[in-house]
Amino acid sequence: MTTVGRRGASTPRELTRVGDRLSFVYLERCTVHRDSNAITAEDVDGVTHIPSATIGTLLLGPGTRVTHQAMALLGESGTGVAWVGEHGVRYYAGGRALTRSSGLIEAQATAWANRRTRLEVARAMYRLRFPGEDTTGRTRQDLLGMEGRRLKECYKRESLRTGVPWRRREYHREDFAAGDAPNQAVTAAAQCMYGVSHSVVAALGCSPGLGFVHSGHERSFVMDVADFYKTEVAIPAAFDAAAEGTEDVAARTRRMLRDRINHTGLLDRCVRDIRDLLGYDGTRDTAQADGTPSDRDRVTLQSDGDVHVEGGRNYGDEIIW
């Protein structure tokens, strides 16, 4: 993920295939406009040109203004747009996904709709969260118990590492200030991770509500994805923030987590993890004979036997199987 101040103008040699456009470009405190086929970002340091074809998803942070012409170009380029907090740690709203294909959301829905495959994905999610843990044959109750034990171990480990006293996890939905400093920090970190996760889920065109571990909420899958990095990224950042004092701990947590997300390339890693977990290899996006993805809209019609035929044709007198 890059910022306007760190990204130079790209050249035609750097243009990527649509199938590989999974980059996230973050802008803040600037005016986003259009110059021919490039997006321009103007701030106090000048104007930066960014070819729209290189952007997977544009993240618009605080202080950004975007023109209608810029949005038209982004729409023509199939670029996803999301309005976010600083460095993506809050998700406010989003435009279209970065892909025109429904392949990934179909893979998600297919895995979710079957109880067996839904459990298999849930097991894979726990293996991702807790490397070395054998989830083979584990029931959902087993998985929940394993998660509880691992989280307790994580809190204890981070308390010892930072010297921050820890009693137990307390979350007060209606009164954030009721918790002690480390609990406030953990809550703030969780909210930040939900923002990051929601930005990626929306950019990929997945359904935020079809969760494999969480259920019954419009952001169930968002919560699933955010939990991938809870013990590795979110909780350590929260304890580091709490170790620096009790004043303004939530804001300090957000800043620490923002910097870690940016420096470690967590957004791109999140993209790869979602695609791997859903077993999606991008074949539904392929529309050209040489196997390279096409940047045109491709609409197919469903026939018998899971056969997909090209849209825009009349099949009244044709046999298509």
Side-chain angles (χ1 to χ4, degrees):
M1 183 175 66
T2 56
T3 67
V4 61
R6 296 176 183 173
R7 183 185 179 95
S10 299
T11 68
R13 292 179 181 272
E14 297 174 299
L15 297 181
T16 56
R17 299 185 310 166
V18 172
D20 296 329
R21 284 197 321 173
L22 296 178
S23 60
F24 290 80
V25 176
Y26 172 82
L27 302 176
E28 65 178 25
R29 296 174 178 83
C30 64
T31 298
V32 182
H33 194 42
R34 172 180 184 169
D35 182 5
S36 205
N37 285 324
I39 291 297
T40 63
E42 183 177 3
D43 60 9
V44 294
D45 296 320
V47 178
T48 300
H49 287 70
I50 310 171
S52 59
T54 66
I55 307 172
T57 298
L58 182 64
L59 303 178
L60 299 176
T64 51
R65 295 183 297 173
V66 59
T67 67
H68 184 274
Q69 290 178 326
M71 290 302 299
L73 175 60
L74 293 168
E76 293 167 1
S77 302
T79 300
V81 181
W83 282 261
V84 300
E86 281 191 301
H87 286 264
V89 297
R90 283 286 191 274
Y91 177 88
Y92 299 125
R96 67 179 298 172
L98 64 85
T99 177
R100 294 176 178 175
S101 168
S102 62
L104 192 55
I105 191 173
E106 288 182 11
Q108 179 190 7
T110 299
W112 180 88
N114 182 284
R115 284 188 177 183
R116 178 183 58 80
T117 55
R118 196 188 310 179
L119 178 55
E120 288 176 355
V121 173
R123 289 168 177 161
M125 287 180 167
Y126 278 97
R127 286 196 299 271
L128 178 65
R129 292 176 59 184
F130 307 122
E133 191 76 46
D134 184 11
T135 62
T136 305
R138 295 292 186 96
T139 66
R140 289 194 175 274
Q141 189 62 43
D142 292 336
L143 296 176
L144 291 174
M146 180 181 68
E147 177 184 26
R149 291 190 298 273
R150 285 295 191 112
L151 284 177
K152 286 182 178 179
E153 292 172 2
C154 181
Y155 291 135
K156 181 179 180 180
R157 181 173 62 250
E158 293 304 314
S159 176
L160 292 173
R161 181 181 66 85
T162 59
V164 173
W166 177 262
R167 292 179 299 172
R168 62 181 180 275
R169 177 70 175 120
E170 295 179 349
Y171 172 53
H172 303 274
R173 183 183 299 273
E174 304 299 331
D175 187 4
F176 176 80
D180 57 18
N183 268 290
Q184 289 182 24
V186 170
T187 298
Q191 293 299 325
C192 288
M193 295 306 297
Y194 292 155
V196 171
S197 171
H198 206 149
S199 296
V200 175
V201 168
L204 291 177
C206 292
S207 170
L210 297 184
F212 295 86
V213 175
H214 293 85
S215 181
H217 192 274
E218 63 176 347
R219 301 176 80 189
S220 293
F221 189 57
V222 170
M223 296 176 188
D224 284 355
V225 174
D227 279 354
F228 295 168
Y229 318 107
K230 179 185 289 185
T231 57
E232 177 187 350
V233 179
I235 294 177
F239 273 82
D240 284 341
E244 294 188 5
T246 59
E247 295 297 324
D248 204 23
V249 67
R252 190 163 55 251
T253 300
R254 288 191 291 269
R255 289 193 294 270
M256 285 187 173
L257 198 52
R258 174 200 65 193
D259 293 340
R260 294 187 187 198
I261 290 168
N262 192 39
H263 294 157
T264 61
L266 186 65
L267 290 173
D268 291 327
R269 175 183 169 188
C270 190
V271 169
R272 293 191 299 270
D273 288 341
I274 290 174
R275 292 171 67 99
D276 289 345
L277 284 165
L278 296 179
Y280 184 67
D281 59 7
T283 54
R284 284 295 305 277
D285 295 340
T286 302
Q288 300 188 115
D290 63 358
T292 60
S294 170
D295 61 355
R296 67 183 177 88
D297 288 329
R298 187 190 184 206
V299 179
T300 61
L301 304 174
Q302 298 184 44
S303 185
D304 297 319
D306 199 30
V307 173
H308 292 255
V309 298
E310 292 295 330
R313 292 177 54 187
N314 189 318
Y315 293 95
D317 297 322
E318 296 187 36
I319 298 177
I320 56 178
W321 55 86

